[in-house]
Amino acid sequence: MSYNKRLDGRKFDEVRKMHAKVGIIKRADGSAMFQIGDTIALAAVYGPRELHPKFLQNPERGVLRCNYDMASFSVTERKKPGPTRRSTEISLVTEKALASVIDLDLFPNTVIDVFIVITQANAGTRCAGISAAAMALAHAGIPMKDMVAAISVGKVGDKIVIDLDKEEEDFEEGATDIPVAMTARGKEVTLLQLDGDVTKDEVMEAIKVAKKGCDEIHKIQTKALKEIYKNE
Ligand code: CDP
């Protein structure tokens, strides 16, 4: 089915308005907020700190532990508090999306805890969480080989579009959603999920579009990180 004009009037490769702020939670070792459209993600990093219980410690390398949570007031229909299968899956893919840029060998026996809370959700929350968490890790002073940004791309009707909102995700019989995370310099894909039907060529096109979106997010992340050191 043809999708000639986006529901909110954006161009097919236009990302929603973005905003980032670093250093939002004083008690955390690092913290950041990332907003994209009406989706808001907060991230707080604690550590590296000794991992308890001790049997979970790895004498060879540190452990990155991510926890994604959606506040009960973040969606129109109140979300029951507590973990769900969805939040467990998102926590796991977030860990995988971030782990490759951190040199965990430097921190044996420790854990780096990353808490992500979605305070307002309008699609693309796992990606917003990853973009926020990467800034929070950098703010915590964790040595990182590269920065990570994430954006959702997808197919609505017959078009590949970037940064779907909830209305687009639910369009007709449902859009194909492809969250992508990418490193800033290396352009390595650290997350690629796919929910729906697309051809191989469409996936390749989607990744190309995601790269452009991630480049835009990387610029905003860098600016937000520089901002905090300017003011300190
Ligand atoms: O948020 P993301 O696109 O990464 O993940 P999803 O599982 O595809 O969820 C898409 C959207 O559905 C979320 O961003 C929320 O706007 C909405 N949602 C909701 O309204 N209630 C939930 N319990 C879970 C998701």
Side-chain angles (χ1 to χ4, degrees), residues 39 68 70 74-80 84 86 89-90 118 120-128 152 164 166 169-170 177 179 193 195:
T39 291
Y68 163 102
M70 215 172 196
S74 64
V75 277
T76 10
E77 237 173 76
R78 180 181 179 275
K79 185 210 152 257
K80 200 167 143 239
T84 59
R86 176 178 174 273
E89 177 236 331
I90 297 180
I118 305 302
Q120 194 168 272
N122 184 344
T125 63
R126 77 193 61 205
C127 292
S152 156
L164 286 71
K166 185 78 179 104
E169 271 199 356
D170 298 340
D177 188 20
Q193 291 186 280
D195 181 13

Side-chain angles (χ1 to χ4, degrees), residues 19-22 24 30-35 40-45 98 114-118 125-139 147-150 217 221 225:
H19 180 55
K21 192 167 166 51
V22 171
I24 53 157
S31 59
M33 182 281 297
F34 184 76
Q35 175 164 14
I40 304 175
L42 311 184
V45 170
L98 296 166
V114 180
F115 296 97
I116 296 165
V117 179
I118 305 302
T125 63
R126 77 193 61 205
C127 292
I130 291 168
S131 299
M135 284 187 285
L137 285 163
H139 182 225
M147 197 56 186
V148 178
I217 297 174
Q221 288 173 315
L225 282 161

Side-chain angles (χ1 to χ4, degrees), residues 17 42 44 92 141-142 151 200:
K17 196 164 179 287
L42 311 184
L92 192 76
I142 311 286
I151 191 105
K200 186 179 160 206

